[in-house]
Amino acid sequence: MIRVLLEAPILTKSGYGEHSRLVYKALSERKDLEIMINPLRWGNTTFDLPDGDILTSIQSFGSYIQACKANQTNPEFNIQVHVGIPNEFEKKAPYSVCVTAGIETDRVDANWLLKTHQGIDKIIVPSQHARDGFVRTKYEVFNKTQNTKSLISCACPVDVIPYPVKNPDDATLDIDFSTNFNFLTVALIGPRKNLETTIRGFIEEFRDEEDVGLILKTSLARNSIMDRANTLNSINSIVKSCGKKKCKIYLVHGDLTESELHSLYVHPKIKAYVSTTHGEGYGLPIFEAAYSGLPIIATDWSGHLDFLSCEYKQNGKAKNKKLFAKVDYSLEEIPSEAVWENILIEGSKWAVPKEHALKRQMRNVFDKYGMYKKWATALKESVTTSHTEEAIFEKMQKSLFPPEILEKLQNTKEDFFWFEEQQIKTYD
């Protein structure tokens, strides 16, 4: 058996939680693995209690670590899969893979690249944009001792493995909307998702239209009662600053099951999805809108572009076409308040959607809905065909277990159960 250490925020309700569960499902397809899960946290996001095979794998990890401590021996794993931010990685196996969402901006932090020189053997990301952030970023390093300069770049392969389409059970939220034409957005309130621009642009464009609404599935961090109150205050301050309006703004807050969330994407009164994101490593909510057949309005930059185009027949000719309402942007340095140590770095750039372009595209979708719905239907067919669980799991397994690594695992015993200066405390 191949012993795999999966370090991942697998229980959290977050994008990285989704990524973690995808990796686990791909691993669990193989019958030659002993999977042990170290469940990490991810920021302040809420989390679910484990059950089933995930609970068993977490318990196996805990029991094994306790046994190693009792025997004063180092834990031994064949392969380590770390899901999260590369600068948090610590090597704990002879072969180590880091699965990360990448970054919203145009470059990654220098510490992320350093980790590829300090034990990461491969990086897996969900989009070409995320891959570009690693392979195109270089930093100049000055060695004071030798008085020399050199460039540091990514030192390991970077594979692109997207997310699969889900098929959630039917569920309906006990909720209705008084307006018949509604835009939906799903995002946390904060600088990165740029929700304020979405709200302002919507109100300015549809101010005098009583039958048009914007539905916000959002929160500040957690889905608590206090967070709901703070979220509502934050939204109200934006709405009030926009002046009088007849259009409607709705807040959907709280924990939703996958099926309940999916019911928003297919709600008969929700007609389009809108995002003024500054950038996405992938863009899971946009992806779900795409495979749900919802017309999409989004910033024309970053990770979501990977799945928002397909072969489309127009005027008798088939060509690859972006099948969404593209919001023009300018690429600008991130503001100081968005700088996040070791993640969003000073001097990096992201997209700043142009508000007039947003308003024009929302109006286009409203006025020419039939055309955009036709685009959305074609995109749904393409995505549901290309992004099946079977296809994505196969890609993930091939990336995690390349033939040369499997051969080494099968033919090597002692070398693959060896750590260089590893201490038990690294597993606490």
Side-chain angles (χ1 to χ4, degrees), residues 191-242:
R192 294 183 296 159
K193 302 306 179 183
N194 197 25
L195 204 57
E196 183 172 347
T197 295
T198 303
I199 296 170
R200 290 187 183 280
F202 166 75
I203 291 174
E204 289 183 14
E205 185 61 34
F206 296 97
R207 184 183 303 278
D208 297 322
E209 301 185 43
E210 295 180 349
D211 203 29
V212 183
L214 173 64
I215 298 164
L216 308 172
K217 172 60 182 84
T218 188
S219 63
L220 285 165
R222 296 179 178 271
N223 289 315
S224 64
I225 295 175
M226 183 175 292
D227 185 274
R228 186 184 188 282
N230 292 334
T231 298
L232 193 57
N233 287 337
S234 180
I235 293 171
N236 280 337
S237 66
I238 299 170
V239 172
K240 288 179 180 178
S241 70
C242 294

Side-chain angles (χ1 to χ4, degrees), residues 1 23 25 48 124 135 182 192 196-198 214 219 269 291 293 310-311 326 329 338 384 406-407 414:
M1 295 288 284
V23 172
K25 287 179 181 178
D48 291 320
I124 297 176
V135 301
N182 296 287
R192 294 183 296 159
E196 183 172 347
T197 295
T198 303
L214 173 64
S219 63
K269 290 187 176 181
Y291 70 72
C310 67
E311 287 292 317
K326 305 180 292 294
Y329 66 93
T384 53
L406 284 177
E407 183 179 356
E414 184 177 355

